[in-house]
Amino acid sequence: MAEQLRIGIIGAGRIGKIHAENVARFIPQAKLAGIADIRLNAEQEAWAKALGARLVTRKPEDLLKDSSIEAVVICTSTDTHADLTIAAADAGKQIFCEKPVDLSIPKVKAALAAVKKAGVLLQIGFNRRFDHNFARIREYTLAGEIGAVQIVKITSRDPAPPPPEYVAVSGGIFLDMMIHDFDMARFQAGSGIAEVYAAGAVLVDPEIGKAGDVDTALVTLKFENGAIGVIDNSRKAVYGYDQRVEVFGSKGAAAAENDLPNTVKLSNEKGVTAEKPLYFFLERYHQAFINEMIAFIDAVRNDKAAPVTGEDGLENMYAALAAGKSLKEKRPVSIEEIRKAY
Amino acid sequence: MAEQLRIGIIGAGRIGKIHAENVARFIPQAKLAGIADIRLNAEQEAWAKALGARLVTRKPEDLLKDSSIEAVVICTSTDTHADLTIAAADAGKQIFCEKPVDLSIPKVKAALAAVKKAGVLLQIGFNRRFDHNFARIREYTLAGEIGAVQIVKITSRDPAPPPPEYVAVSGGIFLDMMIHDFDMARFQAGSGIAEVYAAGAVLVDPEIGKAGDVDTALVTLKFENGAIGVIDNSRKAVYGYDQRVEVFGSKGAAAAENDLPNTVKLSNEKGVTAEKPLYFFLERYHQAFINEMIAFIDAVRNDKAAPVTGEDGLENMYAALAAGKSLKEKRPVSIEEIRKAY
Amino acid sequence: MAEQLRIGIIGAGRIGKIHAENVARFIPQAKLAGIADIRLNAEQEAWAKALGARLVTRKPEDLLKDSSIEAVVICTSTDTHADLTIAAADAGKQIFCEKPVDLSIPKVKAALAAVKKAGVLLQIGFNRRFDHNFARIREYTLAGEIGAVQIVKITSRDPAPPPPEYVAVSGGIFLDMMIHDFDMARFQAGSGIAEVYAAGAVLVDPEIGKAGDVDTALVTLKFENGAIGVIDNSRKAVYGYDQRVEVFGSKGAAAAENDLPNTVKLSNEKGVTAEKPLYFFLERYHQAFINEMIAFIDAVRNDKAAPVTGEDGLENMYAALAAGKSLKEKRPVSIEEIRKAY
Amino acid sequence: MAEQLRIGIIGAGRIGKIHAENVARFIPQAKLAGIADIRLNAEQEAWAKALGARLVTRKPEDLLKDSSIEAVVICTSTDTHADLTIAAADAGKQIFCEKPVDLSIPKVKAALAAVKKAGVLLQIGFNRRFDHNFARIREYTLAGEIGAVQIVKITSRDPAPPPPEYVAVSGGIFLDMMIHDFDMARFQAGSGIAEVYAAGAVLVDPEIGKAGDVDTALVTLKFENGAIGVIDNSRKAVYGYDQRVEVFGSKGAAAAENDLPNTVKLSNEKGVTAEKPLYFFLERYHQAFINEMIAFIDAVRNDKAAPVTGEDGLENMYAALAAGKSLKEKRPVSIEEIRKAY
């Protein structure tokens, strides 16, 4: 077995905690070497030490300077991702960066250039590719069970909307929420997206509309390989987190249903009732967060390409920006149109 | 296409009406030639004529005397089945008789002897063999998909108990209700039953207990071919008619779930709810009633053996009587012990 | 009980046979009074008489002249629907007309005008509204279980493409196939369609492309009530006829899965396998064909509005034409744009 | 938060490894303080240290003498369970002991007496009560959703038989395999078992028969509270580990299906295929092993009764011995008969 990959986590918020605990407890291939957070408090410090992190600091640069740390996981607020990626690349660290790299395309490009120049590996945190259900669909396609992919359908609905103030700074439903689904679409189609057409509406919360966003959206996709697809998003499914994917092709179709907390069905005078889906992404993608990190470690240790590259992140952003433009201008928008604009 | 089989129905009660309407409307291979009921009222007469029956009478013997009628379907009260079977056999009619032929073994044997002597065909109304689900399981077994049958499990629960006064004359849960499941067990195992052990309890309605019967029963089966099995019955499943079968073997297993009125699932804050099963046997076995009649006609027209013979009826009764004795004497009872007693 | 509605069937092809047999055998509220087909052959004549039709003729006008016939079911080739509808209306018959009334909007309008003038009832054969699954979803919505409808998703895929020569005269995938789904979308949304955007591709059979049509299509819908939706069609799903509907709203969601021939699951080393969906529309919508006719009879007998009106047929055509234009011009097209063009 | 419970693991075989890793990685409420195995090899020692165990030894008594260790988990071979339980009780340790405590009833009783005298807590490793599915069924019952429990059905089939040499020393199918199901039956019924009747056969492997055991068994249960039940076991289900439970009562029924590795269904010309169940108990009961340990820690820390007591272990053994006797003597055997024999 290869030596454990010594990982430093930058950012100890919700997502940083998940990655830190996964590395410390669930991933024997890695060692949690350090944790940095510029607003580290006493509680976080105690938590970090209990997880066995040797280096616990308020200065991310401490992790970057520490030569025993081979890789960093960037989990800070979005506006710092690009700068930290560049600094980490310059320090020669292997990089796992939460999505998105930035909301500005030029900054993303600058970060990608730094990564390329440094010759380090960069993986973006599109974790759903590593979900047991969605990965299985892709396996079926790669095994030839689906034949040529013709239609990709993605349902992705949150259990409850974020606060309107979050919506305002999130970049909107396409960049914040559907970007995961654009990545899934490209992953399942095995192809880039050529064009999108977006329909959207404010049906959940008028405050979201006031913040300039929609809360319900449906985007038609034309893939470069000729397949077509559709994604639908809602900020609020009262029955919980609805995460389904269907791939239809010339030889068959594979479809993933929601994950439930248990398989029990209760039969009574009202009907036969199963549980609601797992509540939200922490429960639903628990294992996917672990799996993506294992894949990252494997790529680093075995000189493989990252399974989700910076270019994937960029392409997903192009799709999101195209969807936003389509919604605004009420016409289909090609990815090329967006790409050329930068 | 062979000429339509001209059928007379004896008994215009609930089950007689089903067979008459099926023959008249759903089975082009047959013609409803006559209907007899000793208590025929004006409404029944109008109904019979609207169905196109030429001969409508209060005298079953009218049907038996009518040389244009080739086959009769006996749907009268149980205590008249054996005599009518004998009379029909003597008249040279092909016979479809509702189960059971009689509650008395000697009378059943007498009826079977008359049938044999007359050389006519006798089919007993164990309709569940013709159900789309259960027939499919048997097909899988016959196609070798299950391998050697090792375990047969049958769940059979009614939505509501019959009135206690019915229970008293019905012969009890084993002869009235579980007899269908003994037939299913023998059908699915492809083997006779060698021995049974019955557990039973009064859990639904104390009046059923006072009538000398149980309302909840679970019978272990040892088949002649070495397989084992179990049947459970309840007189009351609040969620509706629960009719499931599972066959487990060396190469696989096949299991039938309940039929539902539609496939819709409603997702809301309470969970994901499907419909209850179809309410009761009229809804659940609608097509099975038609299919058994088509099989009867096919057997008559093409000189095949009846798909459910008088001997099947007798064997099912032996199993029911053995179960009753097992419950009473708290010990396993072999079918041979019952067989020898007659 | 009201008197049986005396019905004449015009056209004894595939769909005419279904309606004739349904009326004769499965719908006690109606009587099959006559059958007309301009190319009636001896076999059809024998079949018609065996079903009890009194008047069997090569002249549709014979049915229209027959004063004992109250209603006609028009099942001829599409190009004759409008003229027959006008003639039937002029003759004072209640009319059930298979979809579409015509491929030309002006001819449809002329037919509707004749119907209006005559004061007769016209029902169009969009049978899927009467399907047990889809009707159940609508019931949930009407009962308030879904809340405000926000997203409607319809999957509609055929098991095998029609011959290219049929495709050429069919009006194309939107008028021939997806028109059913436009009707379903309007039915489930409880709203008209305001705008459509169509993506389409030739992925199944290049001959279909040569005939000027697509075989795979995905149409985004904006409803007048603010909801959004999507329909996807494929001419070839190797696993059979895929007919699913999902309605998502503020209080919940209801989704219908495919109907299967039985509920059996086979478990073996390869997995747990259920049956494929029912093969095609004759099997899948068997009961829906009956139900729509019962609803027609009910509307006639009880002076109700037709459950699917001529205006519904017209609106569905507008949607289909808008989709065709959208596909051609690569832009969203409003229904109003189409409506104004005529 | 209470201080971590310092746990020593005795026995570093398959099951000991699971408990050690669970304590070290997945259960923050506990600390893996020590590991003892009388045949500890270098690899095990390295593994133990990597998990953070301070005390790694070949002498179980070292753990018992270590005053910083509060609780022990006994995972050694069955023949040492009773003696180690007694020694641990004498040393004042809280005890988690894998099932069974011993194959000899008197030795079990001696161990239970020592535990009682020492006033320590003893929990037996019947982990399935802590499974997400089966625990959910029990919750429904306790919440009143099932009403009075009337029928309990348990299906429990292994994917592959153990080697015949294991079968010979295992105590046979009832003590080795079905004992888990007896525990589940008592748990779900909320009642002791009053009587059992066993049917069994050698259908999987004749070698198992030569070793004096059966490989297929079906046991009828009568519970003390009047409910009835059935358990079926097979040593070989080709489709994998089949673990299902159904509880039927006066107000409803709850049933757990198998857990699958993912929710994907593949539709093609052969049908609609889902995955096989999770392969075997390590995969299937992964979380249940963790949950039972969390419950043990909770009981120790909060002075609660053990959720599975030594008496539970004893009662399960009585049921297994009664089943063995029933199979041999071909008659129902009461638990009381077994209880009195000791």
Side-chain angles (χ1 to χ4, degrees):
Chain A
M1 184 176 157
E3 210 182 336
Q4 287 182 310
L5 186 71
R6 293 181 303 283
I7 291 179
I9 308 284
I10 306 178
R14 185 167 61 172
I15 194 74
K17 279 190 175 165
I18 290 168
H19 286 305
E21 300 205 354
N22 287 348
V23 167
R25 296 168 59 195
F26 302 138
I27 306 177
Q29 302 95 316
K31 177 157 183 57
L32 179 66
I35 294 179
D37 192 296
I38 56 169
R39 280 184 290 269
L40 194 78
N41 58 32
E43 190 187 344
Q44 286 171 315
E45 191 168 353
W47 160 81
K49 291 197 169 159
L51 283 181
R54 183 178 43 78
L55 178 55
V56 181
T57 172
R58 288 193 171 192
K59 299 181 185 168
E61 55 267 34
D62 290 348
L63 295 189
L64 300 183
K65 284 177 198 161
D66 188 319
S67 64
S68 75
I69 290 176
E70 301 171 271
V72 293
V73 178
I74 301 172
C75 312
T76 50
S77 61
T78 296
D79 59 333
T80 66
H81 285 184
D83 288 343
L84 282 168
T85 296
I86 292 167
D90 290 349
K93 305 301 185 197
Q94 312 296 333
I95 306 166
F96 182 104
C97 183
E98 271 305 319
K99 61 106 222 171
V101 175
D102 200 276
L103 291 180
S104 143
I105 295 282
K107 289 195 72 174
V108 176
K109 287 188 170 178
L112 266 52
V115 166
K116 192 174 181 184
K117 187 180 160 205
V120 297
L121 186 144
L122 170 65
Q123 181 173 330
I124 311 299
F126 285 102
N127 59 320
R128 297 185 192 174
R129 293 187 181 209
F130 303 89
D131 175 68
H132 56 158
N133 293 338
F134 306 146
R136 186 71 183 98
I137 294 180
R138 185 63 184 151
E139 284 172 22
Y140 276 130
T141 303
L142 293 175
E145 298 280 357
I146 309 296
V149 172
Q150 298 175 343
I151 303 174
V152 174
K153 292 178 79 173
I154 298 173
T155 301
S156 179
R157 301 168 187 156
D158 283 356
E165 56 272 22
Y166 172 82
V167 168
V169 301
S170 70
I173 196 168
F174 301 118
L175 272 165
D176 176 53
M177 182 174 171
M178 199 181 279
I179 197 162
H180 273 294
D181 306 305
F182 289 123
D183 189 66
M184 182 57 59
R186 294 171 58 252
F187 174 62
Q188 294 293 356
S191 166
I193 298 169
E195 191 180 279
V196 302
Y197 173 74
V202 180
L203 301 173
V204 172
D205 183 354
E207 292 300 314
I208 292 175
K210 288 179 192 165
D213 200 5
V214 295
D215 51 34
T216 308
L218 196 150
V219 172
T220 302
L221 309 167
K222 294 183 185 175
F223 295 98
E224 290 169 355
N225 66 1
I228 54 180
V230 65
I231 298 166
D232 75 271
N233 275 185
S234 169
R235 287 287 194 182
K236 186 175 179 186
V238 296
Y239 52 86
Y241 197 40
D242 194 347
Q243 298 285 296
R244 288 173 288 152
V245 169
E246 177 182 341
V247 175
F248 172 85
S250 58
K251 289 191 182 168
E257 290 299 311
N258 284 309
D259 274 359
L260 310 184
N262 58 65
T263 67
V264 178
K265 289 183 183 172
L266 178 68
S267 295
N268 59 28
E269 291 181 349
K270 292 171 196 158
V272 179
T273 301
E275 301 275 359
K276 291 187 288 186
L278 290 174
Y279 180 66
F280 209 174
F281 70 96
L282 292 182
E283 296 82 10
R284 176 65 177 80
Y285 293 118
H286 173 73
Q287 189 64 40
F289 281 114
I290 296 173
N291 292 349
E292 69 174 352
M293 199 56 64
I294 291 172
F296 171 68
I297 296 163
D298 176 53
V300 169
R301 277 286 177 257
N302 300 302
D303 275 327
K304 297 179 180 173
V308 192
T309 65
E311 283 67 33
D312 284 314
L314 200 56
E315 288 294 315
N316 296 337
M317 286 190 66
Y318 289 152
L321 293 169
K325 195 165 195 181
S326 172
L327 184 70
K328 194 173 168 193
E329 302 185 1
K330 299 179 189 297
R331 64 173 178 91
V333 173
S334 76
I335 303 303
E336 191 58 21
E337 177 180 335
I338 304 298
R339 201 181 277 124
K340 281 183 181 164
Y342 293 98
Chain B
M1 183 176 156
E3 209 182 339
Q4 287 182 310
L5 187 71
R6 293 181 304 282
I7 291 180
I9 307 285
I10 306 179
R14 185 168 61 170
I15 194 75
K17 279 189 174 167
I18 291 168
H19 286 304
E21 301 205 354
N22 287 347
V23 167
R25 296 168 60 196
F26 301 137
I27 306 177
Q29 302 94 316
K31 177 160 184 54
L32 178 67
I35 293 179
D37 192 296
I38 56 169
R39 278 183 292 269
L40 194 79
N41 58 32
E43 189 187 346
Q44 286 171 315
E45 191 167 354
W47 160 82
K49 291 196 168 159
L51 283 182
R54 183 181 42 79
L55 177 56
V56 182
T57 171
R58 289 193 171 194
K59 297 183 185 168
E61 56 267 35
D62 290 348
L63 296 189
L64 301 183
K65 282 178 197 159
D66 188 318
S67 63
S68 76
I69 290 175
E70 300 170 271
V72 292
V73 178
I74 300 173
C75 311
T76 50
S77 61
T78 296
D79 59 331
T80 65
H81 286 182
D83 288 344
L84 282 167
T85 297
I86 292 168
D90 290 349
K93 304 301 185 196
Q94 312 296 331
I95 305 166
F96 182 102
C97 182
E98 271 304 320
K99 62 105 223 172
V101 176
D102 200 277
L103 292 179
S104 143
I105 296 284
K107 288 195 73 174
V108 176
K109 287 187 169 177
L112 266 55
V115 166
K116 192 174 181 185
K117 188 180 159 205
V120 296
L121 186 144
L122 171 65
Q123 181 172 331
I124 310 298
F126 286 102
N127 59 319
R128 296 184 192 175
R129 295 186 180 208
F130 303 90
D131 174 68
H132 56 158
N133 294 338
F134 305 145
R136 187 70 183 97
I137 294 180
R138 185 63 184 150
E139 285 172 23
Y140 275 129
T141 303
L142 293 175
E145 298 280 359
I146 309 296
V149 173
Q150 297 175 345
I151 303 174
V152 174
K153 292 179 77 174
I154 298 172
T155 300
S156 179
R157 301 168 189 157
D158 283 356
E165 57 270 23
Y166 172 81
V167 169
V169 300
S170 70
I173 196 168
F174 300 119
L175 273 165
D176 176 53
M177 182 174 173
M178 198 180 280
I179 198 161
H180 272 295
D181 306 304
F182 289 123
D183 189 65
M184 182 57 58
R186 294 172 57 252
F187 174 61
Q188 295 292 357
S191 167
I193 298 169
E195 191 179 280
V196 302
Y197 173 74
V202 180
L203 301 173
V204 173
D205 183 354
E207 292 300 313
I208 291 176
K210 286 179 192 164
D213 201 4
V214 294
D215 51 35
T216 308
L218 197 151
V219 172
T220 302
L221 309 167
K222 294 183 186 175
F223 294 98
E224 289 169 357
N225 67 0
I228 54 182
V230 65
I231 299 164
D232 77 87
N233 275 185
S234 168
R235 287 288 194 182
K236 184 175 180 186
V238 295
Y239 52 86
Y241 197 40
D242 194 347
Q243 298 283 297
R244 289 174 287 153
V245 168
E246 178 182 341
V247 175
F248 173 85
S250 57
K251 289 191 183 170
E257 290 300 310
N258 284 310
D259 274 359
L260 310 184
N262 58 65
T263 66
V264 179
K265 288 182 183 172
L266 178 68
S267 295
N268 59 27
E269 291 182 349
K270 291 172 195 156
V272 179
T273 302
E275 301 274 0
K276 290 187 288 185
L278 291 174
Y279 181 65
F280 209 173
F281 71 97
L282 292 182
E283 295 83 8
R284 175 66 177 81
Y285 293 118
H286 173 72
Q287 189 64 39
F289 281 114
I290 295 172
N291 293 348
E292 68 174 353
M293 199 56 64
I294 291 172
F296 171 69
I297 296 161
D298 176 54
V300 169
R301 275 288 177 258
N302 299 302
D303 274 327
K304 295 179 182 174
V308 193
T309 64
E311 283 67 33
D312 284 314
L314 199 55
E315 289 295 315
N316 295 338
M317 286 190 67
Y318 289 153
L321 293 169
K325 195 166 194 181
S326 172
L327 183 70
K328 194 174 168 192
E329 302 185 1
K330 299 178 190 299
R331 64 174 178 90
V333 173
S334 76
I335 303 304
E336 190 58 22
E337 178 181 333
I338 303 298
R339 201 180 276 122
K340 280 184 180 163
Y342 293 97
Chain C
M1 184 174 156
E3 208 181 340
Q4 287 182 311
L5 186 71
R6 292 181 305 283
I7 291 179
I9 307 283
I10 306 179
R14 185 168 61 171
I15 194 74
K17 279 190 175 167
I18 290 168
H19 286 304
E21 301 205 354
N22 287 347
V23 167
R25 295 168 60 196
F26 302 138
I27 305 177
Q29 302 94 316
K31 178 159 183 54
L32 178 66
I35 293 179
D37 191 295
I38 56 169
R39 279 184 291 269
L40 195 79
N41 59 31
E43 190 187 345
Q44 286 171 315
E45 190 167 355
W47 160 82
K49 291 196 168 159
L51 282 181
R54 183 179 42 77
L55 177 57
V56 181
T57 171
R58 289 193 171 191
K59 298 183 185 168
E61 57 266 34
D62 290 349
L63 295 189
L64 301 182
K65 284 177 197 160
D66 188 319
S67 64
S68 77
I69 290 176
E70 300 171 90
V72 292
V73 178
I74 301 173
C75 311
T76 50
S77 61
T78 295
D79 59 332
T80 64
H81 286 183
D83 288 344
L84 282 167
T85 296
I86 292 167
D90 291 349
K93 304 301 185 197
Q94 312 296 331
I95 306 166
F96 182 103
C97 182
E98 270 306 318
K99 62 105 220 169
V101 176
D102 200 276
L103 292 179
S104 143
I105 294 284
K107 288 195 71 174
V108 176
K109 287 188 170 178
L112 267 54
V115 165
K116 192 173 180 185
K117 187 180 160 205
V120 296
L121 186 143
L122 170 65
Q123 180 173 330
I124 310 298
F126 286 101
N127 59 319
R128 296 185 193 174
R129 295 187 181 208
F130 303 90
D131 175 67
H132 55 157
N133 294 336
F134 305 146
R136 186 71 182 96
I137 294 180
R138 186 64 185 150
E139 284 172 23
Y140 276 129
T141 303
L142 292 175
E145 298 279 357
I146 309 295
V149 173
Q150 297 175 344
I151 303 174
V152 174
K153 292 179 78 173
I154 298 173
T155 300
S156 177
R157 301 169 187 155
D158 283 356
E165 57 270 23
Y166 172 82
V167 168
V169 300
S170 69
I173 196 168
F174 300 119
L175 273 166
D176 176 52
M177 183 174 170
M178 199 180 280
I179 197 162
H180 273 294
D181 306 303
F182 290 122
D183 188 66
M184 181 56 58
R186 294 172 58 254
F187 173 62
Q188 294 293 355
S191 167
I193 297 169
E195 189 180 281
V196 303
Y197 172 73
V202 180
L203 301 174
V204 173
D205 183 354
E207 292 299 314
I208 291 175
K210 287 180 192 163
D213 200 5
V214 294
D215 51 35
T216 308
L218 197 151
V219 172
T220 302
L221 309 167
K222 294 182 186 176
F223 294 98
E224 291 169 354
N225 65 1
I228 54 181
V230 65
I231 298 166
D232 76 88
N233 275 186
S234 169
R235 286 290 194 181
K236 185 176 180 185
V238 296
Y239 51 85
Y241 198 40
D242 194 347
Q243 296 284 297
R244 288 173 287 152
V245 169
E246 178 183 340
V247 175
F248 172 85
S250 57
K251 288 191 184 169
E257 290 299 311
N258 284 309
D259 274 358
L260 310 184
N262 58 65
T263 67
V264 178
K265 289 183 182 170
L266 178 68
S267 296
N268 59 28
E269 292 181 349
K270 291 172 197 158
V272 179
T273 301
E275 301 274 0
K276 290 187 288 186
L278 291 174
Y279 181 65
F280 210 174
F281 71 95
L282 293 182
E283 296 82 10
R284 176 65 177 81
Y285 293 117
H286 173 72
Q287 189 64 40
F289 281 114
I290 296 172
N291 293 348
E292 69 174 353
M293 200 55 65
I294 291 173
F296 171 69
I297 296 161
D298 176 54
V300 169
R301 276 287 177 258
N302 300 301
D303 273 327
K304 296 179 181 174
V308 192
T309 65
E311 284 67 33
D312 284 314
L314 198 56
E315 289 294 314
N316 296 337
M317 286 190 67
Y318 289 152
L321 293 169
K325 194 166 195 181
S326 171
L327 183 70
K328 195 173 168 193
E329 303 185 0
K330 299 178 189 300
R331 64 175 177 90
V333 173
S334 75
I335 303 304
E336 190 58 23
E337 177 180 335
I338 304 298
R339 201 180 276 122
K340 281 182 180 164
Y342 294 96
Chain D
M1 183 176 156
E3 209 182 338
Q4 286 183 310
L5 187 70
R6 293 181 303 282
I7 291 179
I9 308 284
I10 306 179
R14 185 168 61 172
I15 194 75
K17 280 190 175 166
I18 291 168
H19 286 304
E21 301 205 353
N22 286 348
V23 167
R25 295 167 60 195
F26 302 137
I27 305 177
Q29 303 93 316
K31 177 158 184 54
L32 179 66
I35 294 180
D37 191 296
I38 56 169
R39 278 183 291 270
L40 194 79
N41 58 31
E43 191 188 343
Q44 287 171 316
E45 191 167 353
W47 160 82
K49 291 195 168 159
L51 283 181
R54 183 180 41 78
L55 177 55
V56 181
T57 172
R58 289 193 170 193
K59 297 183 185 168
E61 55 268 35
D62 290 348
L63 296 189
L64 300 182
K65 283 177 198 161
D66 188 317
S67 64
S68 75
I69 290 176
E70 300 171 90
V72 292
V73 178
I74 300 172
C75 310
T76 50
S77 61
T78 296
D79 59 332
T80 66
H81 285 183
D83 288 344
L84 282 167
T85 297
I86 291 168
D90 290 349
K93 304 300 184 198
Q94 311 296 332
I95 306 166
F96 182 102
C97 183
E98 271 304 319
K99 61 107 222 166
V101 176
D102 200 276
L103 292 178
S104 143
I105 295 284
K107 288 195 74 174
V108 176
K109 286 188 169 177
L112 267 54
V115 165
K116 192 174 181 185
K117 188 180 159 202
V120 296
L121 186 143
L122 171 65
Q123 180 172 330
I124 310 298
F126 285 102
N127 60 318
R128 296 184 193 174
R129 294 186 180 209
F130 303 90
D131 174 68
H132 56 157
N133 294 337
F134 306 146
R136 187 71 183 96
I137 294 179
R138 185 63 185 151
E139 284 171 24
Y140 276 129
T141 303
L142 292 175
E145 297 280 358
I146 309 295
V149 173
Q150 297 175 345
I151 302 174
V152 174
K153 292 179 77 174
I154 298 173
T155 300
S156 178
R157 300 167 189 158
D158 283 355
E165 56 271 21
Y166 171 81
V167 169
V169 300
S170 70
I173 197 168
F174 300 118
L175 272 166
D176 176 53
M177 183 174 170
M178 198 179 281
I179 197 162
H180 272 294
D181 306 304
F182 290 123
D183 189 65
M184 181 57 58
R186 294 172 56 253
F187 174 63
Q188 294 292 356
S191 167
I193 298 169
E195 190 179 279
V196 302
Y197 173 74
V202 180
L203 302 174
V204 172
D205 183 353
E207 291 300 313
I208 291 175
K210 286 179 192 165
D213 201 5
V214 295
D215 51 35
T216 307
L218 197 151
V219 172
T220 302
L221 309 167
K222 294 183 186 173
F223 293 98
E224 290 169 357
N225 67 0
I228 54 181
V230 65
I231 299 165
D232 76 89
N233 275 187
S234 168
R235 287 287 194 181
K236 186 175 179 187
V238 297
Y239 52 85
Y241 198 40
D242 195 346
Q243 298 282 297
R244 288 173 287 151
V245 169
E246 178 183 341
V247 175
F248 172 86
S250 57
K251 288 191 184 170
E257 290 299 310
N258 284 309
D259 274 359
L260 310 184
N262 58 65
T263 66
V264 178
K265 289 182 183 172
L266 178 69
S267 296
N268 59 27
E269 290 181 350
K270 292 171 195 157
V272 179
T273 301
E275 300 275 359
K276 290 187 288 186
L278 290 175
Y279 180 65
F280 209 174
F281 71 98
L282 293 182
E283 295 82 11
R284 176 65 177 80
Y285 293 117
H286 173 72
Q287 189 64 40
F289 281 115
I290 295 172
N291 293 349
E292 68 175 350
M293 199 57 62
I294 291 172
F296 171 68
I297 295 162
D298 175 54
V300 169
R301 276 285 177 260
N302 299 302
D303 274 328
K304 296 180 182 173
V308 192
T309 65
E311 284 66 34
D312 284 314
L314 199 56
E315 288 295 315
N316 295 338
M317 286 190 65
Y318 289 152
L321 293 170
K325 195 167 194 179
S326 171
L327 183 70
K328 196 174 167 192
E329 301 186 0
K330 299 177 190 297
R331 62 175 179 89
V333 173
S334 75
I335 303 304
E336 190 58 21
E337 177 181 333
I338 303 297
R339 201 180 277 123
K340 280 184 180 163
Y342 293 98

